[in-house]
Amino acid sequence: TSRRAANDDRETIGQLLQALQKGRPARSVYTFATIFAGVWLAACAALTFGFLPSIQAAMGQSGGVLVIAGLIAMFFAPIMLFYFLASLVWRGQEMRMIAQAMAQVAIRFSEPEGSASDSMVTVGQAIRREVAAMGDGIERAI
């Protein structure tokens, strides 16, 4: 059986930095944005179909082009807002992951004596094993 130090479950600095570079937040927020955009477009299509006679009457007037441009802007501006919000949420998740990793690294750096004593214990154990192995070898040789 091999003995492990009490804090062997702690990640090394290299592992923390690697996790920082590998980890990515879930892209499910973009899926939700796409679903909301689809629902929004379906509702806009239903409203357009319901008010089609009024829209056609507005197009016959002098400012009809502006009415249509305004309707199109009202239909597509919320879709851009959905994706903008999804991007903000995704970036927020990414920033939270980075902050957690940086906090762990900062905690490690704030306790250098813990890392140094852990290393010394490990080196001491290795030296003891080697001395014991040499003692066994010498006993067998004698």
Side-chain angles (χ1 to χ4, degrees):
T1 63
S2 66
R3 289 186 161 181
R4 298 179 74 186
N7 59 355
D8 272 354
D9 57 341
R10 290 189 348 182
E11 295 175 324
T12 63
I13 301 289
Q15 290 170 333
L16 288 172
L17 292 174
Q18 188 176 18
L20 172 67
Q21 292 172 350
K22 267 198 310 189
R24 291 283 172 213
R27 293 243 184 221
S28 61
V29 291
Y30 288 110
T31 305
F32 288 128
T34 302
I35 291 169
F36 285 129
V39 169
W40 180 259
L41 283 177
C44 289
L47 282 174
T48 302
F49 184 71
F51 289 101
L52 192 58
S54 300
I55 293 172
Q56 288 174 344
M59 284 183 61
Q61 296 175 356
S62 62
V65 174
L66 290 176
V67 170
I68 298 301
L71 285 174
I72 290 173
M74 282 181 52
F75 288 168
F76 290 107
I79 293 173
M80 293 188 326
L81 178 68
F82 294 151
Y83 283 103
F84 175 72
L85 290 175
S87 174
L88 283 178
V89 169
W90 186 81
R91 186 67 176 154
Q93 290 173 352
E94 186 180 43
M95 295 300 275
R96 186 186 73 231
M97 291 173 64
I98 290 171
Q100 288 174 347
M102 289 179 67
Q104 290 176 352
V105 170
I107 289 169
R108 283 291 171 80
F109 285 146
S110 70
E111 301 173 346
E113 68 280 352
S115 299
S117 65
D118 293 345
S119 297
M120 291 304 292
V121 167
T122 304
V123 169
Q125 289 173 348
I127 291 173
R128 268 188 245 117
R129 279 194 307 268
E130 292 300 322
V131 168
M134 282 179 22
D136 291 342
I138 291 172
E139 284 179 12
R140 280 189 222 135
I142 290 177

